[in-house]
Amino acid sequence: MAASSANPAPKAPSKSGRLLRVFALLLACGLALAGGLVVSIGPQRALSLLPLGDAEAAPEEATADAGPEAAPSADAPAKDNVVVTPFQEIIVNITATTATGRQTSRFLKLNIALAYDATLPGAGNIETRKLFLRDSFQEYLRQLNETDLQGSIGLVRLKAELLRRARAISESDAPQQFLIADLIIQ
């Protein structure tokens, strides 16, 4: 009996301690969620979501910063100035690594179309420089590894790089996005 009184049983955490831990966990989750939102939509658009007292200016700023992917409002006219121009099918060799670590070659087949705003200055350069665009795309695609194209982030990177090259060659901000019809690695 003397031994049991010398080693008291460990105390369970109090209710206030548990509540404090749950609150801290919920706060950390909320901050992580807010950080992910800011990273995904950008700091300017995230700030436009906050009610900062200037309620009338916020909707105007949100539509100005929304970019080409924003949905048009009910009173805004439909965008008839977006032109979609397809490219010929592109087939290139890319590098792949086998399960044993050996380098091998694979075929990449890509069917893409470029959507651009015909009203922006320099939009006429796109059709006249289409062969130069295709050449630049092939140059980039030949440098890729199979792992560069894996997952949704691979497609995002591919589209971003093709868009960057299209804007550089056309010397314009008219190119808005690339549409991928087929992407096959064989």
Side-chain angles (χ1 to χ4, degrees):
M1 253 194 178
S4 66
S5 64
N7 290 332
K11 277 186 154 181
S14 67
K15 276 190 170 183
S16 63
R18 285 184 190 163
L19 287 176
L20 185 61
R21 286 182 184 171
V22 168
F23 178 73
L25 181 64
L26 288 175
L27 180 65
C29 290
L31 289 175
L33 182 65
L37 176 71
V38 170
V39 168
S40 66
I41 66 171
Q44 293 293 9
R45 289 182 64 196
L47 285 175
S48 70
L49 296 175
L50 296 175
L52 298 175
D54 195 7
E56 293 178 15
E60 294 170 5
E61 291 172 5
T63 56
D65 293 340
E69 68 275 355
S73 63
D75 57 335
K79 289 190 176 185
D80 294 331
N81 52 358
V82 175
V83 178
V84 177
T85 180
F87 284 84
Q88 289 181 355
E89 180 178 88
I90 299 173
I91 299 175
V92 295
N93 287 331
I94 61 171
T95 307
T97 305
T98 63
T100 61
R102 187 176 57 99
Q103 294 280 326
T104 185
S105 181
R106 300 250 176 142
F107 287 110
L108 168 67
K109 176 183 167 185
L110 186 64
N111 278 326
I112 55 174
L114 172 63
Y116 65 94
D117 188 348
T119 61
L120 291 177
N125 293 344
I126 293 173
E127 291 297 330
T128 59
R129 297 181 182 176
K130 201 167 178 180
L131 287 176
F132 296 103
L133 288 168
R134 182 178 161 85
D135 179 61
S136 177
F137 299 160
Q138 284 185 352
E139 177 185 329
Y140 166 69
L141 292 170
R142 289 179 193 275
Q143 298 173 18
L144 293 178
N145 292 328
E146 184 181 27
T147 57
D148 294 334
L149 298 170
Q150 288 180 344
S152 59
I153 192 71
L155 289 177
V156 169
R157 286 184 189 143
L158 174 68
K159 286 182 174 184
E161 180 62 26
L162 294 179
L163 185 61
R164 185 189 69 78
R165 288 173 179 261
R167 288 181 174 169
I169 290 173
S170 69
E171 298 174 348
S172 157
D173 286 336
Q176 298 297 310
Q177 69 177 344
F178 273 92
L179 308 171
I180 297 177
D182 293 320
L183 181 114
I184 299 171
I185 300 173
Q186 193 173 24

